[in-house]
Structure formats: C-alpha cells, structure tokens
Amino acid sequence: MRTDLGWRRFYAAGWLATAGVATVTFVLWRAHVREVEQRAEEAERTRDEVARRRAVEERLHIARELHDSLTHSISVINVQVGVAAHLARKRGEEPAAALLAIQEASTDAARELRSTLDALRRDDDGGGAGLDRLPALVDRARSSGLPITVTVEGTPTPLPPDVDQTAYRVVQESLTNVGRHAGTATARVWLRYGAGLLKVQVDDDGSASRQPPVPGHGLIGMRERVAALGGNLRAGPGPTAGFSVVAELPTGPRPGRSGGSAGGPAAEGPP
C-alpha cells in the first residue's frame, strides 16, 4: 500500500512538473512569437517609409526634369508667337488663325505643365483639366482646321475629379491623334451620362490605317488612366472608315478592382 501510494505521489509530482515546464515553455514561445511579429511589423513599416521616401524623391526628380526641359521651351514658343502676332497687328494685318491657335495652345500647355509640376510636388493629383475645358479644346482644334461635332446625351452630373480629368484627357488625346494621323477628316465626340457610368466616344472618318493600332505613349496613357479608375477602353479602326476610341468610366463608388481591356475595334456609332 505504501509503495503504491509512493508511486502515485511520484507520478503526480511528475505530471505537475511536466505541466509546469509545458506552461513555461508555452509562455516563452508566445513571447518569442510576439517579438517576431513586432520585428516583422517594424520591418514592414520601415520598408513602407523607405518606399514612400523614394517615391517622393522620384516625383521631385521628374518635376525638376520636366521644369528644366519643357518650361523654358514652351515659354519661348509663347513669347515668339506673341511677338509675331503683335507685329502682324502693327502692320495692320490680322494674325493667321494658325498663329493664334499656337499661341493659345502654348499658353494652355504652360498652364497644364505648371499644374502637373504642382501635382508631382504634392501627394494628391488635383488641379488638372476637366470637361469644363472641353469647349476651349474643341474651339482650338476647329481653328486648326479640324471639323468637330460634340453630342451630349443624358443629364450631365458632377463627376469625381479623377473621372473628370480622365474623360478630358481621353478626348484631348483622341483629337490630337485625329489631327496627326487621320488626314482630311471630321471628328465626332459623344458624351453619354448614365447611372454610375460616363461613356466617352471619339470617332473620325479619316484615312487612317485599317490595321489595329500600334500602341504609342498616348494610347498607353489613356489605357492606364481608364484602367486605374476600374473602367474600360477600346480603340481601333471604325466599322467602315477612320478610327474610334470608346472609354467607359464608372462615376459611382468603385470597389477595389482593376479594369482595362485589350485593344480592338470600338463600338459602332454613338454610345
């Protein structure tokens, strides 16, 4: 009996010691895990701070390069065109429409460049051009000899700033491409306001190639802008002639999703 009691006490003491060691080991393991997690969080914060600092430095570098390489040239163009217009008026002549278009375009380019440089030096991207400047853009293109019609469908509603800017840039780049590549052409711009969606379409009836477009910086930039908003962009030869660009931009709350599409023929006719 005494022997059995002694063994039971021995076993109980052994189990108690084992439980104590296990408890201490668990506590030490939890402390180690917490320390590892804290180190990982600190390392992640450090990486984020380094990445943000590098991004800011790169933005400032780009801003300086843009300022040094473009601001002076645009200013010279604006000044020279202004002098030419002044001399023409001094001679009693009306400056050529093309000359006035260059003057307005250089002034606009200088304004947009300053806005871009300001945005690069800040964390936000405000101050860009929106659809409120579409009439001036159309007038400038018409003065350069490009016939344009603009059609607005639906009820215009206030747009988020990034959507407003992207819609304007799509029209601006599309009209620029018409002037460069379409030859003698007529351009048509459609804006269609729908429930939670703005559809922007720019068509022309020019003599551009019927082959799918070779992506350039302008087309790539449009795709990136639209995709960043979760939208969809199609660009390609029209159904019978010319070229067509169609952008669908969500105007309501956007879930975290990536948009975009491969290049291909655009939708036929107006939106």
Side-chain angles (χ1 to χ4, degrees):
M1 294 293 293
R2 291 181 178 177
T3 302
D4 292 341
L5 181 60
W7 280 111
R8 285 197 296 271
R9 290 176 177 174
F10 176 77
Y11 291 145
W15 282 110
L16 183 61
T18 301
V21 171
T23 301
V24 172
T25 302
F26 178 76
V27 171
L28 293 176
W29 175 77
R30 288 294 300 170
H32 176 69
V33 169
R34 284 197 297 271
E35 183 180 358
V36 171
E37 291 175 346
Q38 291 173 354
R39 290 179 179 177
E41 292 175 357
E42 181 64 26
E44 186 175 357
R45 283 195 298 270
T46 301
R47 284 196 299 270
D48 290 343
E49 291 174 359
V50 171
R52 282 194 295 269
R53 185 169 63 252
R54 288 179 178 173
V56 170
E57 292 173 352
E58 182 64 20
R59 287 161 67 98
L60 291 176
H61 173 71
I62 293 173
R64 288 193 297 268
E65 290 296 324
L66 285 174
H67 180 273
D68 294 343
S69 61
L70 295 180
T71 302
H72 176 71
S73 298
I74 293 176
S75 298
V76 169
I77 293 172
N78 188 266
V79 170
Q80 293 296 328
V81 171
V83 170
H86 173 73
L87 292 177
R89 293 189 180 98
K90 192 174 181 180
R91 292 193 300 267
E93 303 172 358
E94 185 64 24
L99 193 65
L100 296 178
I102 293 173
Q103 185 178 30
E104 184 179 354
S106 62
T107 300
D108 191 63
R111 186 198 65 81
E112 292 196 15
L113 180 58
R114 286 193 296 270
S115 176
T116 300
L117 295 178
D118 290 341
L120 285 172
R121 292 189 173 101
R122 298 194 307 267
D123 291 334
D124 59 356
D125 191 23
L131 289 177
D132 60 316
R133 304 195 68 254
L134 181 59
L137 174 66
V138 171
D139 289 342
R140 188 163 63 247
R142 285 171 176 164
S143 67
S144 65
L146 176 64
I148 303 174
T149 60
V150 179
T151 303
V152 179
E153 298 182 1
T155 303
T157 56
L159 300 172
D162 50 358
V163 175
D164 196 24
Q165 294 173 25
T166 297
Y168 176 82
R169 294 304 184 190
V170 168
V171 177
Q172 182 186 45
E173 182 63 28
S174 298
L175 293 180
T176 299
N177 288 338
V178 172
R180 288 176 178 173
H181 307 298
T184 302
T186 298
R188 297 173 295 276
V189 178
W190 282 279
L191 299 177
R192 183 176 183 180
Y193 292 84
L197 185 72
L198 171 64
K199 193 170 185 178
V200 180
Q201 182 165 342
V202 181
D203 296 338
D204 71 77
D205 57 2
S207 56
S209 172
R210 304 296 299 157
Q211 300 298 320
V214 177
H217 291 295
L219 184 57
I220 291 173
M222 281 195 291
R223 291 193 186 282
E224 291 174 345
R225 284 178 177 271
V226 173
L229 300 177
N232 185 28
L233 185 137
R234 305 187 302 277
T240 58
F243 198 81
S244 184
V245 175
V246 181
E248 296 175 340
L249 305 172
T251 59
R254 296 187 297 273
R257 62 187 176 90
S258 60
S261 67
E268 180 177 354

